[in-house]
Amino acid sequence: MNIFRLAGDLSHLAAIIILLLKIWKTRSCAGISGKSQILFALVFTTRYLDLLTSFISLYNTFMKVVYIGCAYATVYLIYMKFKATYDGNHDTFRVEFLVVPVGGLAFLVNHDFSPLEILWTFSIYLESVAILPQLFLISKTGEAETITTHYLFCLGVYRALYLFNWIWRFYFEGFFDMIAIVAGVVQTILYCDFFYLYVTKVLKGKKLSLPA
Amino acid sequence: EDDAQPKDEL
């Protein structure tokens, strides 16, 4: 554990909680892609199956359970409790175009051809692109609520911090995991355009809106 | 190529 890793995990946790609270407090999931949230629930489910097979630390177990629990709670709020506010007409990204190629890639490029390892690899690849339906929704509506942009910022910063964590671990522990690193770089790059808008607009007190 | 590692990262 180093400072980048811890900060990354906390940023990830903050993102998840910001989104849950936003939906809960406003009683609305307008502007949120349910498809991205289903993908994140799938990511956590396939990645954390090792909860059943190995114990790493109390921290590790606690965070995994919280991430999974919050992911399903978010999906529940969007598709059940506040279904009437769900922006289905704009949330039209075809997720099969992500899940199918990612599933194929996980079979082809992995560390070990075993069920748990393939599912872990699948989750890493899927996480790197799971935000695309959300970014697509924002590009379609042309705007995002400020609280939604805070969510996206924390979520993007999380993987960027993990990149620093991996650099740290490579230098000080000789550890590297090529699958996680490449997927993490892809994931972070997908947020760059958003980071630019966040810094130039949201942090200056303006609403995030895209030119028509 | 690196081998599978125990997954301590989230």
Side-chain angles (χ1 to χ4, degrees):
Chain A
M1 180 70 80
N2 56 64
I3 187 67
F4 300 114
R5 161 72 200 286
L6 181 63
D9 287 350
L10 294 179
S11 179
H12 197 184
L13 186 64
I16 291 169
I17 289 175
I18 285 171
L19 182 63
L20 260 181
L21 282 180
K22 171 220 150 28
I23 297 174
W24 186 255
K25 293 276 183 191
T26 62
R27 323 296 285 173
S28 164
C29 56
I32 301 300
S33 166
K35 292 186 174 182
S36 274
Q37 295 309 312
I38 287 179
L39 293 182
F40 283 123
L42 186 60
V43 163
F44 291 138
T45 307
T46 51
R47 184 173 310 167
Y48 299 156
L49 287 172
D50 65 352
L51 274 173
L52 306 172
T53 60
S54 55
F55 177 81
I56 292 158
S57 68
L58 208 54
Y59 172 85
N60 188 279
T61 301
F62 174 78
M63 295 296 261
K64 285 176 175 173
V65 170
V66 170
Y67 286 174
I68 293 181
C70 287
Y72 280 96
T74 305
V75 169
Y76 165 76
L77 291 184
I78 294 173
Y79 285 98
M80 311 280 280
K81 193 162 176 64
F82 302 124
K83 190 182 193 332
T85 65
Y86 169 55
D87 224 354
N89 289 334
H90 288 122
D91 193 13
T92 50
F93 193 94
R94 300 281 296 272
V95 289
E96 59 270 36
F97 292 154
L98 297 180
V99 174
V100 173
V102 156
L105 190 62
F107 264 93
L108 293 173
V109 184
N110 51 55
H111 294 309
D112 180 30
F113 201 76
S114 66
L116 268 188
E117 192 64 29
I118 290 170
L119 285 169
W120 177 86
T121 310
F122 171 78
S123 84
I124 292 288
Y125 294 153
L126 185 61
E127 184 191 345
S128 69
V129 292
I131 201 60
L132 287 177
Q134 179 64 58
L135 297 177
F136 182 70
L137 188 154
I138 291 173
S139 74
K140 270 193 107 175
T141 61
E143 58 177 25
E145 286 176 56
T146 299
I147 186 74
T148 305
T149 66
H150 295 329
Y151 160 72
L152 280 169
F153 181 73
C154 289
L155 200 59
V157 162
Y158 136 68
R159 220 45 171 173
L161 285 166
Y162 257 70
L163 297 182
F164 291 106
N165 159 55
W166 289 323
I167 292 169
W168 178 285
R169 292 193 70 180
F170 178 71
Y171 276 106
F172 293 103
E173 300 168 27
F175 169 91
F176 77 100
D177 182 330
M178 200 44 100
I179 287 177
I181 291 170
V182 172
V185 168
V186 169
Q187 186 169 340
T188 305
I189 288 173
L190 291 183
Y191 284 86
C192 284
D193 185 41
F194 167 78
F195 283 151
Y196 174 76
L197 292 172
Y198 187 82
V199 170
T200 57
K201 290 197 168 184
V202 181
L203 289 185
K204 291 183 178 157
K206 292 183 227 158
K207 191 177 161 77
L208 191 145
S209 57
L210 305 172
Chain B
E1 187 58 42
D2 44 341
D3 292 324
Q5 317 252 4
K7 315 290 194 243
D8 66 321
E9 291 182 345
L10 300 163

